[in-house]
Amino acid sequence: MIVKKNEKTGVNSAVLEITVEKDVFEAAIEAAYRKNIKKMNVPGFRRGKAPRKVVEKMWGVEVFYEEAVNSTYGAAYDEAVAQTDYEIVAEPKIEITEINADGYTFTAELTLKPNAEVKNYKGIAVEKTPVVVTDEDVDNEIQRVRERNSRSVDVTDRPAQLGDTVVIDYEGFTDGVAFAGGKGEGHNLKLGSGQFIPGFEDQLVGKNIGDDVDVVVTFPTEYHSEELAGKEATFKVKVHAIKFDELPEADDEFAKDVSEFDTLAEYKESIRKNLTETRENASNAQVDEKLMDALCENTEVEIPEAMILREMENGMRDFDYRLRSQGLDINRYMQYLGQDLDTFRENFRPQSERRVKIRLALEKIVELEGIAPSEEDIAKEYETLASTYQMELDKVKAVISADDLKKDVAVELAVKLIKDTAVITEKAEEAKEEPKPKKPRAKRTTKKAAEEATETTESAE
């Protein structure tokens, strides 16, 4: 192997021109011949017995070139890179520029790790929202648990009220003609839930079992079904049943049923503790985000497009994995959104660029501070990974090299350095905004409509 050229072509790019010499190439061609001759039919020779010169005369001297190149260029490339001080961050672009019986020459276009300039990463000042858990917060959580443990009770002695669930048949008409998707039977509708379009549920309040009701509504102008958008519709509704959710009393017996505690007071104290821990974690996470935001602002680096694209692909792959866990896949999801993969992938660009920039900044801090994880740090991280992924320790070590893990642990130690030196002050909790009126579901986005595509009640919502 000979490196004929080693040239920086940009701030984060370089080109190597590499020649694989005749002896190496000839040996690879001979190996390719011996591997493939058993599968080649050559007139006048038994299978696998035709001399190489005969084969090359019949199919051309280049018949084994491609396989010989594929089996040799990787080692030549690795050897050439080892002679440089480059840190390569993306797959190289390989191009064969010359090839004959005396060997071949190829170029490798390299993407190099950029040099980040990081300033003022120690003593970053951020504010932290103090964690407060009120009695009302605890009571709200108790209420949610009560609602989850409610039982449905039939109503027979009064009309329907907000909060009740009515069992109905319905069919929708516009201009006196029934429309597709506007019919349902035995549907459970909780009044006040906003499940159907505005005005529908209100007109069932005060109705009794057995009532026939004409519910007149107007579809929103932004309704997902264009043929219904902005139109007035009449739904013929039959009320079959009325039910309400009866909540259990919040007492010691309730605490025993839903928790490991014997008294309501103990259960409430546990809820307070869990809420405090959850909010403390959320507050700390906000501080971490602020510190990383500040780190980004204090970092100057020219990020190669290849690094951003690779991170975007990682984001897409993780997103696809989450979709599959919910019974979808990325292609079907794209159909729901009405987008193509390239357009959707661009949504990951800002966060991908941020993650790459943070990683480069942290790696620079590792270099500046001379951070070197100890053997104990590495061993502890291996054990953590084995526990997290429920794998045997030896299998984790086989998958993740010690060198790669060392880099990751060093980066985590750089994060710890930033946190330990940060100036964190508590600020008064921001006043909570008044809740905004809930948007009617009829104005849901295309994405939401896609998620609800299988609901039989969609057109009535």
Side-chain angles (χ1 to χ4, degrees), residues 2-19 77 80-81 84 86 88 92-97 105-112:
I2 300 173
V3 178
K4 297 178 67 175
K5 183 171 71 173
N6 176 2
E7 179 182 340
K8 290 288 291 292
T9 55
V11 177
N12 302 316
S13 61
V15 171
L16 297 178
E17 187 176 27
I18 304 164
T19 293
Y77 168 77
V81 170
T84 73
Y86 296 148
I88 300 165
K93 181 180 178 181
I94 303 294
E95 181 179 358
I96 305 296
T97 58
T105 298
F106 67 96
T107 58
E109 295 182 15
L110 311 179
T111 302
L112 310 181

PDB file of all heavy atoms in Angstrom, residues 2-19 77 80-81 84 86 88 92-97 105-112:
ATOM      1  N   ILE A   2       0.552   2.181  -0.872  1.00  0.00           N
ATOM      2  CA  ILE A   2       1.294   3.440  -0.947  1.00  0.00           C
ATOM      3  C   ILE A   2       0.298   4.593  -0.875  1.00  0.00           C
ATOM      4  O   ILE A   2      -0.699   4.608  -1.602  1.00  0.00           O
ATOM      5  CB  ILE A   2       2.092   3.547  -2.271  1.00  0.00           C
ATOM      6  CG1 ILE A   2       3.093   2.412  -2.396  1.00  0.00           C
ATOM      7  CG2 ILE A   2       2.789   4.902  -2.365  1.00  0.00           C
ATOM      8  CD1 ILE A   2       3.786   2.370  -3.742  1.00  0.00           C
ATOM      9  N   VAL A   3       0.557   5.553   0.009  1.00  0.00           N
ATOM     10  CA  VAL A   3      -0.250   6.767   0.066  1.00  0.00           C
ATOM     11  C   VAL A   3       0.384   7.781  -0.879  1.00  0.00           C
ATOM     12  O   VAL A   3       1.447   8.330  -0.602  1.00  0.00           O
ATOM     13  CB  VAL A   3      -0.329   7.327   1.500  1.00  0.00           C
ATOM     14  CG1 VAL A   3      -1.142   8.614   1.506  1.00  0.00           C
ATOM     15  CG2 VAL A   3      -0.935   6.316   2.446  1.00  0.00           C
ATOM     16  N   LYS A   4      -0.280   8.009  -1.998  1.00  0.00           N
ATOM     17  CA  LYS A   4       0.268   8.912  -3.008  1.00  0.00           C
ATOM     18  C   LYS A   4      -0.073  10.367  -2.717  1.00  0.00           C
ATOM     19  O   LYS A   4       0.629  11.275  -3.154  1.00  0.00           O
ATOM     20  CB  LYS A   4      -0.268   8.519  -4.394  1.00  0.00           C
ATOM     21  CG  LYS A   4       0.156   7.123  -4.825  1.00  0.00           C
ATOM     22  CD  LYS A   4      -0.430   6.746  -6.170  1.00  0.00           C
ATOM     23  CE  LYS A   4       0.149   7.586  -7.296  1.00  0.00           C
ATOM     24  NZ  LYS A   4      -0.336   7.136  -8.618  1.00  0.00           N
ATOM     25  N   LYS A   5      -1.184  10.583  -1.986  1.00  0.00           N
ATOM     26  CA  LYS A   5      -1.582  11.961  -1.675  1.00  0.00           C
ATOM     27  C   LYS A   5      -2.334  11.985  -0.354  1.00  0.00           C
ATOM     28  O   LYS A   5      -3.157  11.123  -0.076  1.00  0.00           O
ATOM     29  CB  LYS A   5      -2.464  12.538  -2.799  1.00  0.00           C
ATOM     30  CG  LYS A   5      -2.855  13.999  -2.553  1.00  0.00           C
ATOM     31  CD  LYS A   5      -3.538  14.615  -3.773  1.00  0.00           C
ATOM     32  CE  LYS A   5      -4.920  14.062  -3.984  1.00  0.00           C
ATOM     33  NZ  LYS A   5      -5.654  14.789  -5.066  1.00  0.00           N
ATOM     34  N   ASN A   6      -2.034  12.968   0.446  1.00  0.00           N
ATOM     35  CA  ASN A   6      -2.740  13.224   1.696  1.00  0.00           C
ATOM     36  C   ASN A   6      -2.941  14.726   1.763  1.00  0.00           C
ATOM     37  O   ASN A   6      -2.016  15.470   2.062  1.00  0.00           O
ATOM     38  CB  ASN A   6      -1.941  12.726   2.896  1.00  0.00           C
ATOM     39  CG  ASN A   6      -2.607  13.078   4.224  1.00  0.00           C
ATOM     40  OD1 ASN A   6      -3.684  13.670   4.253  1.00  0.00           O
ATOM     41  ND2 ASN A   6      -1.952  12.720   5.317  1.00  0.00           N
ATOM     42  N   GLU A   7      -4.178  15.169   1.472  1.00  0.00           N
ATOM     43  CA  GLU A   7      -4.407  16.605   1.309  1.00  0.00           C
ATOM     44  C   GLU A   7      -5.651  17.042   2.072  1.00  0.00           C
ATOM     45  O   GLU A   7      -6.726  16.435   1.946  1.00  0.00           O
ATOM     46  CB  GLU A   7      -4.577  16.911  -0.179  1.00  0.00           C
ATOM     47  CG  GLU A   7      -4.849  18.367  -0.496  1.00  0.00           C
ATOM     48  CD  GLU A   7      -5.064  18.586  -1.992  1.00  0.00           C
ATOM     49  OE1 GLU A   7      -4.642  17.736  -2.785  1.00  0.00           O
ATOM     50  OE2 GLU A   7      -5.676  19.608  -2.335  1.00  0.00           O
ATOM     51  N   LYS A   8      -5.532  18.084   2.886  1.00  0.00           N
ATOM     52  CA  LYS A   8      -6.694  18.704   3.525  1.00  0.00           C
ATOM     53  C   LYS A   8      -7.425  19.527   2.463  1.00  0.00           C
ATOM     54  O   LYS A   8      -6.833  20.382   1.811  1.00  0.00           O
ATOM     55  CB  LYS A   8      -6.271  19.622   4.680  1.00  0.00           C
ATOM     56  CG  LYS A   8      -5.725  18.903   5.903  1.00  0.00           C
ATOM     57  CD  LYS A   8      -6.817  18.165   6.672  1.00  0.00           C
ATOM     58  CE  LYS A   8      -7.786  19.074   7.366  1.00  0.00           C
ATOM     59  NZ  LYS A   8      -7.253  19.854   8.478  1.00  0.00           N
ATOM     60  N   THR A   9      -8.708  19.263   2.312  1.00  0.00           N
ATOM     61  CA  THR A   9      -9.487  19.965   1.288  1.00  0.00           C
ATOM     62  C   THR A   9     -10.466  20.967   1.888  1.00  0.00           C
ATOM     63  O   THR A   9     -11.178  21.648   1.157  1.00  0.00           O
ATOM     64  CB  THR A   9     -10.272  18.950   0.443  1.00  0.00           C
ATOM     65  OG1 THR A   9     -11.070  18.134   1.308  1.00  0.00           O
ATOM     66  CG2 THR A   9      -9.319  18.069  -0.353  1.00  0.00           C
ATOM     67  N   GLY A  10     -10.501  21.042   3.199  1.00  0.00           N
ATOM     68  CA  GLY A  10     -11.387  21.973   3.882  1.00  0.00           C
ATOM     69  C   GLY A  10     -11.117  21.920   5.368  1.00  0.00           C
ATOM     70  O   GLY A  10     -10.231  21.187   5.836  1.00  0.00           O
ATOM     71  N   VAL A  11     -11.885  22.692   6.128  1.00  0.00           N
ATOM     72  CA  VAL A  11     -11.685  22.725   7.581  1.00  0.00           C
ATOM     73  C   VAL A  11     -11.878  21.332   8.182  1.00  0.00           C
ATOM     74  O   VAL A  11     -11.129  20.911   9.062  1.00  0.00           O
ATOM     75  CB  VAL A  11     -12.676  23.716   8.226  1.00  0.00           C
ATOM     76  CG1 VAL A  11     -12.523  23.704   9.746  1.00  0.00           C
ATOM     77  CG2 VAL A  11     -12.457  25.116   7.686  1.00  0.00           C
ATOM     78  N   ASN A  12     -12.874  20.607   7.665  1.00  0.00           N
ATOM     79  CA  ASN A  12     -13.198  19.298   8.237  1.00  0.00           C
ATOM     80  C   ASN A  12     -13.177  18.197   7.180  1.00  0.00           C
ATOM     81  O   ASN A  12     -13.902  17.209   7.299  1.00  0.00           O
ATOM     82  CB  ASN A  12     -14.584  19.338   8.890  1.00  0.00           C
ATOM     83  CG  ASN A  12     -14.692  20.394   9.961  1.00  0.00           C
ATOM     84  OD1 ASN A  12     -13.792  20.548  10.779  1.00  0.00           O
ATOM     85  ND2 ASN A  12     -15.785  21.143   9.956  1.00  0.00           N
ATOM     86  N   SER A  13     -12.339  18.350   6.160  1.00  0.00           N
ATOM     87  CA  SER A  13     -12.308  17.343   5.106  1.00  0.00           C
ATOM     88  C   SER A  13     -10.890  17.147   4.590  1.00  0.00           C
ATOM     89  O   SER A  13     -10.045  18.040   4.681  1.00  0.00           O
ATOM     90  CB  SER A  13     -13.236  17.728   3.952  1.00  0.00           C
ATOM     91  OG  SER A  13     -12.834  18.958   3.382  1.00  0.00           O
ATOM     92  N   ALA A  14     -10.658  15.946   4.080  1.00  0.00           N
ATOM     93  CA  ALA A  14      -9.355  15.620   3.515  1.00  0.00           C
ATOM     94  C   ALA A  14      -9.541  14.527   2.474  1.00  0.00           C
ATOM     95  O   ALA A  14     -10.568  13.851   2.437  1.00  0.00           O
ATOM     96  CB  ALA A  14      -8.380  15.171   4.596  1.00  0.00           C
ATOM     97  N   VAL A  15      -8.524  14.358   1.607  1.00  0.00           N
ATOM     98  CA  VAL A  15      -8.542  13.302   0.592  1.00  0.00           C
ATOM     99  C   VAL A  15      -7.247  12.513   0.673  1.00  0.00           C
ATOM    100  O   VAL A  15      -6.157  13.101   0.724  1.00  0.00           O
ATOM    101  CB  VAL A  15      -8.723  13.879  -0.821  1.00  0.00           C
ATOM    102  CG1 VAL A  15      -8.523  12.783  -1.871  1.00  0.00           C
ATOM    103  CG2 VAL A  15     -10.095  14.490  -0.988  1.00  0.00           C
ATOM    104  N   LEU A  16      -7.386  11.213   0.696  1.00  0.00           N
ATOM    105  CA  LEU A  16      -6.233  10.322   0.581  1.00  0.00           C
ATOM    106  C   LEU A  16      -6.288   9.647  -0.782  1.00  0.00           C
ATOM    107  O   LEU A  16      -7.352   9.207  -1.226  1.00  0.00           O
ATOM    108  CB  LEU A  16      -6.258   9.248   1.676  1.00  0.00           C
ATOM    109  CG  LEU A  16      -6.163   9.708   3.125  1.00  0.00           C
ATOM    110  CD1 LEU A  16      -6.260   8.500   4.050  1.00  0.00           C
ATOM    111  CD2 LEU A  16      -4.877  10.456   3.380  1.00  0.00           C
ATOM    112  N   GLU A  17      -5.140   9.566  -1.440  1.00  0.00           N
ATOM    113  CA  GLU A  17      -5.027   8.789  -2.676  1.00  0.00           C
ATOM    114  C   GLU A  17      -4.125   7.601  -2.372  1.00  0.00           C
ATOM    115  O   GLU A  17      -2.957   7.773  -1.995  1.00  0.00           O
ATOM    116  CB  GLU A  17      -4.456   9.636  -3.806  1.00  0.00           C
ATOM    117  CG  GLU A  17      -4.484   8.920  -5.145  1.00  0.00           C
ATOM    118  CD  GLU A  17      -4.005   9.790  -6.292  1.00  0.00           C
ATOM    119  OE1 GLU A  17      -3.191  10.711  -6.037  1.00  0.00           O
ATOM    120  OE2 GLU A  17      -4.443   9.555  -7.434  1.00  0.00           O
ATOM    121  N   ILE A  18      -4.658   6.400  -2.543  1.00  0.00           N
ATOM    122  CA  ILE A  18      -3.999   5.192  -2.062  1.00  0.00           C
ATOM    123  C   ILE A  18      -3.836   4.212  -3.225  1.00  0.00           C
ATOM    124  O   ILE A  18      -4.771   3.984  -3.991  1.00  0.00           O
ATOM    125  CB  ILE A  18      -4.831   4.532  -0.945  1.00  0.00           C
ATOM    126  CG1 ILE A  18      -5.085   5.550   0.186  1.00  0.00           C
ATOM    127  CG2 ILE A  18      -4.159   3.289  -0.410  1.00  0.00           C
ATOM    128  CD1 ILE A  18      -6.193   5.145   1.125  1.00  0.00           C
ATOM    129  N   THR A  19      -2.658   3.619  -3.317  1.00  0.00           N
ATOM    130  CA  THR A  19      -2.393   2.606  -4.342  1.00  0.00           C
ATOM    131  C   THR A  19      -2.176   1.253  -3.685  1.00  0.00           C
ATOM    132  O   THR A  19      -1.388   1.124  -2.743  1.00  0.00           O
ATOM    133  CB  THR A  19      -1.154   2.979  -5.174  1.00  0.00           C
ATOM    134  OG1 THR A  19      -1.441   4.156  -5.937  1.00  0.00           O
ATOM    135  CG2 THR A  19      -0.782   1.844  -6.130  1.00  0.00           C
ATOM    136  N   TYR A  77      -7.101   1.006   3.138  1.00  0.00           N
ATOM    137  CA  TYR A  77      -7.628   2.260   3.687  1.00  0.00           C
ATOM    138  C   TYR A  77      -7.269   2.397   5.165  1.00  0.00           C
ATOM    139  O   TYR A  77      -6.785   3.459   5.602  1.00  0.00           O
ATOM    140  CB  TYR A  77      -9.144   2.303   3.498  1.00  0.00           C
ATOM    141  CG  TYR A  77      -9.846   3.392   4.268  1.00  0.00           C
ATOM    142  CD1 TYR A  77      -9.813   4.707   3.836  1.00  0.00           C
ATOM    143  CD2 TYR A  77     -10.521   3.093   5.457  1.00  0.00           C
ATOM    144  CE1 TYR A  77     -10.436   5.710   4.560  1.00  0.00           C
ATOM    145  CE2 TYR A  77     -11.149   4.089   6.178  1.00  0.00           C
ATOM    146  CZ  TYR A  77     -11.107   5.398   5.734  1.00  0.00           C
ATOM    147  OH  TYR A  77     -11.729   6.377   6.455  1.00  0.00           O
ATOM    148  N   ALA A  80      -3.645   3.217   5.616  1.00  0.00           N
ATOM    149  CA  ALA A  80      -3.339   4.595   5.226  1.00  0.00           C
ATOM    150  C   ALA A  80      -3.786   5.579   6.302  1.00  0.00           C
ATOM    151  O   ALA A  80      -3.060   6.521   6.644  1.00  0.00           O
ATOM    152  CB  ALA A  80      -4.008   4.916   3.888  1.00  0.00           C
ATOM    153  N   VAL A  81      -5.001   5.369   6.840  1.00  0.00           N
ATOM    154  CA  VAL A  81      -5.512   6.267   7.878  1.00  0.00           C
ATOM    155  C   VAL A  81      -4.637   6.205   9.124  1.00  0.00           C
ATOM    156  O   VAL A  81      -4.415   7.213   9.806  1.00  0.00           O
ATOM    157  CB  VAL A  81      -6.977   5.905   8.217  1.00  0.00           C
ATOM    158  CG1 VAL A  81      -7.440   6.656   9.463  1.00  0.00           C
ATOM    159  CG2 VAL A  81      -7.883   6.229   7.044  1.00  0.00           C
ATOM    160  N   THR A  84      -1.956   8.709   9.528  1.00  0.00           N
ATOM    161  CA  THR A  84      -2.334  10.108   9.719  1.00  0.00           C
ATOM    162  C   THR A  84      -2.737  10.328  11.173  1.00  0.00           C
ATOM    163  O   THR A  84      -2.825   9.389  11.965  1.00  0.00           O
ATOM    164  CB  THR A  84      -3.515  10.495   8.814  1.00  0.00           C
ATOM    165  OG1 THR A  84      -4.715   9.887   9.324  1.00  0.00           O
ATOM    166  CG2 THR A  84      -3.284  10.025   7.385  1.00  0.00           C
ATOM    167  N   TYR A  86      -5.676  11.878  11.660  1.00  0.00           N
ATOM    168  CA  TYR A  86      -7.058  12.253  11.446  1.00  0.00           C
ATOM    169  C   TYR A  86      -7.982  11.469  12.380  1.00  0.00           C
ATOM    170  O   TYR A  86      -7.796  10.269  12.607  1.00  0.00           O
ATOM    171  CB  TYR A  86      -7.490  11.980  10.006  1.00  0.00           C
ATOM    172  CG  TYR A  86      -6.763  12.786   8.967  1.00  0.00           C
ATOM    173  CD1 TYR A  86      -6.534  12.256   7.697  1.00  0.00           C
ATOM    174  CD2 TYR A  86      -6.301  14.074   9.234  1.00  0.00           C
ATOM    175  CE1 TYR A  86      -5.883  12.988   6.714  1.00  0.00           C
ATOM    176  CE2 TYR A  86      -5.645  14.811   8.269  1.00  0.00           C
ATOM    177  CZ  TYR A  86      -5.431  14.261   7.014  1.00  0.00           C
ATOM    178  OH  TYR A  86      -4.780  14.996   6.067  1.00  0.00           O
ATOM    179  N   ILE A  88     -11.695  10.470  12.057  1.00  0.00           N
ATOM    180  CA  ILE A  88     -12.720  10.435  11.018  1.00  0.00           C
ATOM    181  C   ILE A  88     -14.078  10.163  11.653  1.00  0.00           C
ATOM    182  O   ILE A  88     -14.223   9.264  12.482  1.00  0.00           O
ATOM    183  CB  ILE A  88     -12.375   9.368   9.965  1.00  0.00           C
ATOM    184  CG1 ILE A  88     -11.017   9.721   9.342  1.00  0.00           C
ATOM    185  CG2 ILE A  88     -13.448   9.266   8.903  1.00  0.00           C
ATOM    186  CD1 ILE A  88     -10.391   8.599   8.561  1.00  0.00           C
ATOM    187  N   PRO A  92     -16.109   7.054   4.685  1.00  0.00           N
ATOM    188  CA  PRO A  92     -15.444   7.761   3.580  1.00  0.00           C
ATOM    189  C   PRO A  92     -16.152   7.516   2.251  1.00  0.00           C
ATOM    190  O   PRO A  92     -16.867   6.526   2.078  1.00  0.00           O
ATOM    191  CB  PRO A  92     -14.045   7.133   3.565  1.00  0.00           C
ATOM    192  CG  PRO A  92     -14.277   5.731   4.052  1.00  0.00           C
ATOM    193  CD  PRO A  92     -15.353   5.852   5.107  1.00  0.00           C
ATOM    194  N   LYS A  93     -15.961   8.417   1.317  1.00  0.00           N
ATOM    195  CA  LYS A  93     -16.449   8.225  -0.044  1.00  0.00           C
ATOM    196  C   LYS A  93     -15.285   7.681  -0.863  1.00  0.00           C
ATOM    197  O   LYS A  93     -14.267   8.346  -1.046  1.00  0.00           O
ATOM    198  CB  LYS A  93     -16.943   9.550  -0.631  1.00  0.00           C
ATOM    199  CG  LYS A  93     -17.483   9.412  -2.038  1.00  0.00           C
ATOM    200  CD  LYS A  93     -17.962  10.764  -2.578  1.00  0.00           C
ATOM    201  CE  LYS A  93     -18.462  10.623  -4.019  1.00  0.00           C
ATOM    202  NZ  LYS A  93     -18.914  11.931  -4.566  1.00  0.00           N
ATOM    203  N   ILE A  94     -15.436   6.428  -1.341  1.00  0.00           N
ATOM    204  CA  ILE A  94     -14.362   5.731  -2.046  1.00  0.00           C
ATOM    205  C   ILE A  94     -14.619   5.774  -3.548  1.00  0.00           C
ATOM    206  O   ILE A  94     -15.744   5.544  -4.007  1.00  0.00           O
ATOM    207  CB  ILE A  94     -14.262   4.262  -1.589  1.00  0.00           C
ATOM    208  CG1 ILE A  94     -14.052   4.181  -0.065  1.00  0.00           C
ATOM    209  CG2 ILE A  94     -13.160   3.535  -2.329  1.00  0.00           C
ATOM    210  CD1 ILE A  94     -12.743   4.739   0.409  1.00  0.00           C
ATOM    211  N   GLU A  95     -13.567   6.042  -4.323  1.00  0.00           N
ATOM    212  CA  GLU A  95     -13.691   6.033  -5.770  1.00  0.00           C
ATOM    213  C   GLU A  95     -12.420   5.441  -6.381  1.00  0.00           C
ATOM    214  O   GLU A  95     -11.296   5.891  -6.083  1.00  0.00           O
ATOM    215  CB  GLU A  95     -13.905   7.445  -6.305  1.00  0.00           C
ATOM    216  CG  GLU A  95     -14.075   7.490  -7.818  1.00  0.00           C
ATOM    217  CD  GLU A  95     -14.300   8.897  -8.344  1.00  0.00           C
ATOM    218  OE1 GLU A  95     -14.353   9.835  -7.520  1.00  0.00           O
ATOM    219  OE2 GLU A  95     -14.425   9.053  -9.575  1.00  0.00           O
ATOM    220  N   ILE A  96     -12.589   4.399  -7.213  1.00  0.00           N
ATOM    221  CA  ILE A  96     -11.455   3.806  -7.920  1.00  0.00           C
ATOM    222  C   ILE A  96     -11.103   4.715  -9.091  1.00  0.00           C
ATOM    223  O   ILE A  96     -11.940   5.015  -9.947  1.00  0.00           O
ATOM    224  CB  ILE A  96     -11.793   2.396  -8.450  1.00  0.00           C
ATOM    225  CG1 ILE A  96     -12.288   1.500  -7.309  1.00  0.00           C
ATOM    226  CG2 ILE A  96     -10.585   1.784  -9.147  1.00  0.00           C
ATOM    227  CD1 ILE A  96     -11.265   1.238  -6.244  1.00  0.00           C
ATOM    228  N   THR A  97      -9.856   5.145  -9.159  1.00  0.00           N
ATOM    229  CA  THR A  97      -9.439   6.065 -10.229  1.00  0.00           C
ATOM    230  C   THR A  97      -8.594   5.393 -11.290  1.00  0.00           C
ATOM    231  O   THR A  97      -8.497   5.893 -12.420  1.00  0.00           O
ATOM    232  CB  THR A  97      -8.651   7.246  -9.633  1.00  0.00           C
ATOM    233  OG1 THR A  97      -7.519   6.735  -8.910  1.00  0.00           O
ATOM    234  CG2 THR A  97      -9.527   8.057  -8.688  1.00  0.00           C
ATOM    235  N   THR A 105      -5.581   2.175  -7.954  1.00  0.00           N
ATOM    236  CA  THR A 105      -5.501   3.382  -7.121  1.00  0.00           C
ATOM    237  C   THR A 105      -6.912   3.866  -6.842  1.00  0.00           C
ATOM    238  O   THR A 105      -7.771   3.847  -7.718  1.00  0.00           O
ATOM    239  CB  THR A 105      -4.697   4.478  -7.829  1.00  0.00           C
ATOM    240  OG1 THR A 105      -3.356   4.015  -8.053  1.00  0.00           O
ATOM    241  CG2 THR A 105      -4.652   5.755  -6.990  1.00  0.00           C
ATOM    242  N   PHE A 106      -7.125   4.276  -5.597  1.00  0.00           N
ATOM    243  CA  PHE A 106      -8.441   4.827  -5.245  1.00  0.00           C
ATOM    244  C   PHE A 106      -8.261   6.042  -4.354  1.00  0.00           C
ATOM    245  O   PHE A 106      -7.219   6.226  -3.704  1.00  0.00           O
ATOM    246  CB  PHE A 106      -9.326   3.780  -4.565  1.00  0.00           C
ATOM    247  CG  PHE A 106      -8.861   3.332  -3.203  1.00  0.00           C
ATOM    248  CD1 PHE A 106      -9.368   3.915  -2.036  1.00  0.00           C
ATOM    249  CD2 PHE A 106      -7.931   2.305  -3.068  1.00  0.00           C
ATOM    250  CE1 PHE A 106      -8.961   3.494  -0.783  1.00  0.00           C
ATOM    251  CE2 PHE A 106      -7.515   1.882  -1.820  1.00  0.00           C
ATOM    252  CZ  PHE A 106      -8.028   2.465  -0.664  1.00  0.00           C
ATOM    253  N   THR A 107      -9.292   6.888  -4.365  1.00  0.00           N
ATOM    254  CA  THR A 107      -9.306   8.038  -3.464  1.00  0.00           C
ATOM    255  C   THR A 107     -10.338   7.814  -2.364  1.00  0.00           C
ATOM    256  O   THR A 107     -11.365   7.148  -2.581  1.00  0.00           O
ATOM    257  CB  THR A 107      -9.653   9.336  -4.211  1.00  0.00           C
ATOM    258  OG1 THR A 107     -10.935   9.193  -4.837  1.00  0.00           O
ATOM    259  CG2 THR A 107      -8.600   9.651  -5.253  1.00  0.00           C
ATOM    260  N   ALA A 108     -10.056   8.356  -1.206  1.00  0.00           N
ATOM    261  CA  ALA A 108     -10.978   8.293  -0.068  1.00  0.00           C
ATOM    262  C   ALA A 108     -11.203   9.714   0.427  1.00  0.00           C
ATOM    263  O   ALA A 108     -10.264  10.364   0.918  1.00  0.00           O
ATOM    264  CB  ALA A 108     -10.405   7.428   1.048  1.00  0.00           C
ATOM    265  N   GLU A 109     -12.450  10.201   0.248  1.00  0.00           N
ATOM    266  CA  GLU A 109     -12.801  11.521   0.751  1.00  0.00           C
ATOM    267  C   GLU A 109     -13.235  11.379   2.205  1.00  0.00           C
ATOM    268  O   GLU A 109     -14.173  10.647   2.518  1.00  0.00           O
ATOM    269  CB  GLU A 109     -13.925  12.127  -0.082  1.00  0.00           C
ATOM    270  CG  GLU A 109     -13.525  12.407  -1.519  1.00  0.00           C
ATOM    271  CD  GLU A 109     -14.645  13.065  -2.308  1.00  0.00           C
ATOM    272  OE1 GLU A 109     -15.611  13.552  -1.669  1.00  0.00           O
ATOM    273  OE2 GLU A 109     -14.560  13.094  -3.546  1.00  0.00           O
ATOM    274  N   LEU A 110     -12.550  12.084   3.094  1.00  0.00           N
ATOM    275  CA  LEU A 110     -12.737  11.913   4.534  1.00  0.00           C
ATOM    276  C   LEU A 110     -13.485  13.092   5.144  1.00  0.00           C
ATOM    277  O   LEU A 110     -13.290  14.244   4.745  1.00  0.00           O
ATOM    278  CB  LEU A 110     -11.378  11.777   5.225  1.00  0.00           C
ATOM    279  CG  LEU A 110     -10.389  10.767   4.621  1.00  0.00           C
ATOM    280  CD1 LEU A 110      -9.099  10.781   5.412  1.00  0.00           C
ATOM    281  CD2 LEU A 110     -11.004   9.372   4.598  1.00  0.00           C
ATOM    282  N   THR A 111     -14.335  12.777   6.128  1.00  0.00           N
ATOM    283  CA  THR A 111     -14.968  13.801   6.957  1.00  0.00           C
ATOM    284  C   THR A 111     -14.286  13.757   8.316  1.00  0.00           C
ATOM    285  O   THR A 111     -14.306  12.722   8.999  1.00  0.00           O
ATOM    286  CB  THR A 111     -16.470  13.550   7.119  1.00  0.00           C
ATOM    287  OG1 THR A 111     -17.086  13.525   5.834  1.00  0.00           O
ATOM    288  CG2 THR A 111     -17.112  14.641   7.967  1.00  0.00           C
ATOM    289  N   LEU A 112     -13.677  14.852   8.704  1.00  0.00           N
ATOM    290  CA  LEU A 112     -12.861  14.888   9.920  1.00  0.00           C
ATOM    291  C   LEU A 112     -13.622  15.514  11.084  1.00  0.00           C
ATOM    292  O   LEU A 112     -14.485  16.381  10.885  1.00  0.00           O
ATOM    293  CB  LEU A 112     -11.580  15.676   9.666  1.00  0.00           C
ATOM    294  CG  LEU A 112     -10.778  15.276   8.419  1.00  0.00           C
ATOM    295  CD1 LEU A 112      -9.530  16.134   8.311  1.00  0.00           C
ATOM    296  CD2 LEU A 112     -10.421  13.798   8.458  1.00  0.00           C
TER     297      LEU A 112
END
